[in-house]
Amino acid sequence: MAKSNSNLCAVVLLISILIVAASAGSFYDDMDISFGGERAKILNGGQDLSLSLDQYSGSGFQSKHEYLFGRFDMQLKLVPGNSAGTVTTFYLSSQGAGHDEIDFEFLGNSTGNPYTIHTNVYSQGKGNKEQQFHLWFDPTAAFHTYTIVWNSLRIIFLIDNIPVRVFNNNDAAGVPFPKSQPMRVYASLWNADDWATQGGRVKTDWTNAPFTALYRKFNANAKKVGPNSVSTSSINDNQSWSTQGLDAAGRNRIRWVQTKHMIYNYCNDHKRFPNGISAECKTSRFL
């Protein structure tokens, strides 16, 4: 009887493992390679994805589905060593001239110098909302989680669940906000040595090619849109993203990030915007 129970437990455990594996997110299920051919590789049964860049082409992928609001998580390990001139991305975007876009861009640098984390928000084709940061860790040594929370109230950028930026919906003040155009998830690795590293002063060293960035553990707890789409959120999911803001701890963390690690804020660039800063810059960025 004991042996029978042991066998039954083993079968139940195996079934449980298979169910978890089947329900885990897969790049095969969620993404299409968009450019770069063999430079983009889905690995480990769909759990990992690598993008490479050489002197002939970069590479990228995009989600099979479009979304209207949600929480989007991706783990990345960035190009190690001398990554000057390269740009690795994880972002949301709609299509067309009046497109919306929410950007995480990772600007490489020469060996020993930090990556620049570049964030931006476009609405109705208009951007110029850049904030940039240096990280408090080496993003090439291990995977870290980069998150975009997008709801009707605000956009929150998080790194390892630490908020680094909030862009509030100030539509009432005449500031366009992405709220009606469905967006896909995109990622890419490409050469931008005309501007990416120290304003283009440091060029890509192609003797280090191919450059490779790694992606894993994509998760979209979000509202799918389009024909025959079913939301990726279920009644059992935590849908706190739909009203997510910053609590007291979050405000303390974002103040620390923006005080210690922010290197550029468009709201303070009066030389670039001599006619005055945008309306959203006049309200607290922590709310």
Side-chain angles (χ1 to χ4, degrees):
M1 186 66 177
K3 184 176 181 180
S4 175
N5 287 339
S6 177
N7 290 339
L8 179 60
C9 289
V11 171
V12 171
L13 178 60
L14 178 59
I15 291 172
S16 298
I17 291 171
L18 291 174
I19 290 172
V20 170
S23 63
S26 167
F27 282 110
Y28 285 120
D29 296 334
D30 296 328
M31 301 294 176
D32 290 320
I33 304 303
S34 53
F35 72 99
E38 292 300 314
R39 295 173 184 82
K41 293 182 173 66
I42 298 177
L43 309 167
N44 299 327
Q47 298 307 298
D48 303 307
L49 196 155
S50 69
L51 295 180
S52 292
L53 163 70
D54 57 33
Q55 56 265 57
Y56 303 104
S57 178
S59 52
F61 61 90
Q62 67 182 52
S63 63
K64 294 179 184 292
H65 301 288
E66 291 182 303
Y67 306 92
L68 187 62
F69 303 132
R71 176 183 174 119
F72 306 87
D73 300 280
M74 185 82 79
Q75 290 194 356
L76 282 79
K77 186 191 288 187
L78 300 181
V79 174
N82 185 357
S83 57
T86 70
V87 176
T88 307
T89 70
F90 165 51
Y91 64 102
L92 307 178
S93 183
S94 63
Q95 296 298 305
H99 79 294
D100 295 341
E101 187 170 318
I102 305 170
D103 292 338
F104 261 126
E105 295 185 310
F106 307 91
L107 314 184
N109 213 330
S110 51
T111 303
N113 291 307
Y115 264 80
T116 294
I117 308 305
H118 178 98
T119 66
N120 201 357
V121 176
Y122 287 78
S123 184
Q124 301 171 31
K126 297 180 180 178
N128 297 327
K129 309 290 186 185
E130 301 93 343
Q131 289 184 354
Q132 295 182 340
F133 308 84
H134 284 161
L135 292 171
W136 50 96
F137 55 84
D138 180 357
T140 72
F143 283 94
H144 292 268
T145 302
Y146 302 88
T147 301
I148 296 170
V149 173
W150 171 39
N151 59 43
S152 62
L153 303 173
R154 61 188 60 86
I155 296 161
I156 308 174
F157 297 81
L158 303 103
I159 300 175
D160 292 334
N161 220 33
I162 296 173
V164 300
R165 178 179 184 180
V166 175
F167 186 82
N168 289 309
N169 185 342
N170 282 287
D171 207 26
V175 180
F177 184 84
K179 61 182 183 297
S180 59
Q181 297 191 75
M183 294 197 264
R184 294 185 189 271
V185 177
Y186 293 87
S188 59
L189 174 58
W190 53 290
N191 179 49
D193 66 2
D194 56 334
W195 65 271
T197 304
Q198 299 178 32
R201 290 188 294 274
V202 182
K203 302 299 181 181
T204 304
D205 182 354
W206 293 112
T207 64
N208 293 313
F211 303 95
T212 301
L214 302 176
Y215 294 75
R216 73 179 188 187
K217 294 188 177 180
F218 169 69
N219 184 64
N221 185 4
K223 179 183 177 183
K224 285 182 186 176
V225 298
N228 303 317
S229 289
V230 178
S231 175
T232 53
S233 297
S234 74
I235 58 173
N236 296 317
D237 286 336
N238 179 353
Q239 298 184 43
S240 60
W241 57 262
S242 63
T243 56
Q244 185 170 339
L246 297 183
D247 58 13
R251 288 192 292 272
N252 286 336
R253 287 182 173 185
I254 199 171
R255 287 189 182 100
W256 171 75
V257 170
Q258 297 200 351
T259 300
K260 300 293 186 180
H261 300 283
M262 177 182 280
I263 61 170
Y264 178 81
N265 183 358
Y266 74 104
C267 287
N268 298 330
D269 195 340
H270 298 281
K271 182 177 180 180
R272 182 181 172 198
F273 302 105
N275 295 325
I277 59 175
S278 187
E280 74 274 10
C281 296
K282 300 170 185 177
T283 60
S284 173
R285 61 184 181 270
F286 302 125
L287 299 178

